[in-house]
Amino acid sequence: MKLLNNENTYLIYITNNPTRPEELPAEVMWTNWDRLLCRIGKYPTSDAVLSFLIEQFRKLINSLFKDVRYYKEKGVLRVSDNVKVHSMTDAYNIFDAKPIYHGFLVGGAADVPNFDGYEVWCSRNGSTVWNNQLTTDGAVYYEGAKKDKDSIGHVNKCIEKGFKRIAFYRDEDRYHDKAYHFIGVYELDKDKSLEQKRCVWERKAMEWNLKDKIIK
C-alpha cells in the first residue's frame, strides 16, 4: 500500500474467492485465479515460447487445490472447472454431509442434507475391495465388489435404495494427482446392473448447484 504513490503504480490482489473480498480497500485492484486464467488464455500471441509458458502457468494454477469454502461461496460445481479436493471428508463438507465411519475409516458415501434421493459418493481406482472403473469420457461408472457374491448383493441394495450420486473420483493415472475430482451426477441403470451383476452408473449431469438443486 505504501508503494502506491503515483498513478502508474497498482496493487493487484489475487484470491480464490468468486467475488471481491469486502475487506480489500477500494484502491486495491482484485481478481481471482479463474478470471486471470481466462484472460491469459485469450491473450493473442504467435510466440511459441510465450504460448508454452502460458499453458504451463495454466496447468500449474489448475493443479492447486481450492478449499471447501471456495466451492460453497461459488455455489456451483462443474466438471469443466476441474473441481477437486484433498479427501473424501472435504467432498462431504462441501455439502454439509455427515460422513459415516467404519471404525477409523471414512465411508465412501454420505447423504446430502435437504436433497432427498442424493448422496455424495467418493471412490478411487486401485481399491483392494472394489473393482470400480470410469469410462474414458466419464459417461459411465462401473461399480462392483471384487467378490462376485458381494457385488450382486450391492447391486440389489443400490436398486432398493433408489438414489442418485454426486460423484468424486480419484485416479492418479488419469489425473496425475492424489485428489478426488468431481465427475458429475450419476443415476443407476437397473437393467444393465442386474444383467452385468455390477452397478452401472450413467452420468445425467455435469453440473450441480449447491443452493437451488439445478443440475445440467
Side-chain angles (χ1 to χ4, degrees):
M1 292 288 293
K2 292 180 180 179
L3 295 177
L4 300 180
N5 52 13
N6 63 69
E7 61 181 10
N8 295 319
T9 305
Y10 304 92
L11 175 60
I12 304 176
Y13 199 81
I14 308 173
T15 71
N16 285 334
N17 304 67
T19 58
R20 180 187 175 95
E22 295 179 357
E23 306 93 314
L24 291 182
E27 60 268 34
V28 175
M29 300 177 66
W30 170 85
T31 189
N32 64 24
W33 291 108
D34 289 338
R35 293 180 183 179
L36 180 63
L37 290 180
C38 183
R39 292 291 297 273
I40 291 177
K42 294 179 180 179
Y43 185 79
T45 178
S46 58
D47 188 316
V49 175
L50 181 56
S51 296
F52 172 79
L53 292 174
I54 289 174
E55 177 63 14
Q56 294 304 306
F57 180 72
R58 185 190 65 80
K59 289 182 178 180
L60 171 64
I61 299 304
N62 282 333
S63 71
L64 302 178
F65 290 95
K66 298 179 175 65
D67 61 21
V68 170
R69 185 177 61 177
Y70 170 84
Y71 294 119
K72 283 188 173 184
E73 291 180 357
K74 189 172 184 180
V76 63
L77 304 180
R78 297 186 183 92
V79 174
S80 59
D81 288 343
N82 190 30
V83 175
K84 60 184 180 180
V85 292
H86 282 286
S87 66
M88 293 187 292
T89 302
D90 284 344
Y92 301 148
N93 286 340
I94 292 176
F95 301 87
D96 295 321
K98 294 183 179 180
I100 298 173
Y101 289 90
H102 305 289
F104 293 102
L105 300 176
V106 180
D111 293 337
V112 182
N114 304 319
F115 291 90
D116 293 337
Y118 288 89
E119 71 174 11
V120 184
W121 180 70
C122 300
S123 185
R124 64 184 177 87
N125 183 31
S127 170
T128 57
V129 179
W130 297 94
N131 184 19
N132 298 334
Q133 300 172 0
L134 181 67
T135 58
T136 303
D137 60 2
V140 181
Y141 197 101
Y142 300 100
E143 177 195 19
K146 290 190 174 180
K147 293 182 180 179
D148 291 339
K149 183 179 179 180
D150 295 338
S151 188
I152 295 172
H154 184 68
V155 169
N156 291 328
K157 181 180 178 181
C158 290
I159 291 175
E160 182 180 354
K161 191 171 181 180
F163 51 85
K164 296 184 178 75
R165 281 178 166 172
I166 305 166
F168 288 77
Y169 183 56
R170 172 180 166 181
D171 185 347
E172 295 178 35
D173 292 333
R174 178 188 292 258
Y175 299 111
H176 309 293
D177 60 35
K178 296 182 179 181
Y180 283 88
H181 292 250
F182 172 66
I183 57 175
V185 183
Y186 291 74
E187 185 175 354
L188 186 69
D189 187 308
K190 300 177 182 178
D191 293 335
K192 291 180 181 179
S193 298
L194 290 171
E195 179 183 349
Q196 299 185 28
K197 298 180 180 179
R198 60 177 178 173
C199 290
V200 180
W201 297 91
E202 296 183 346
R203 185 160 61 189
K204 299 301 181 181
M206 299 179 69
E207 179 176 316
W208 176 269
N209 189 301
L210 294 169
K211 300 177 181 178
D212 303 323
K213 195 181 175 180
I214 298 173
I215 56 177
K216 298 179 181 179

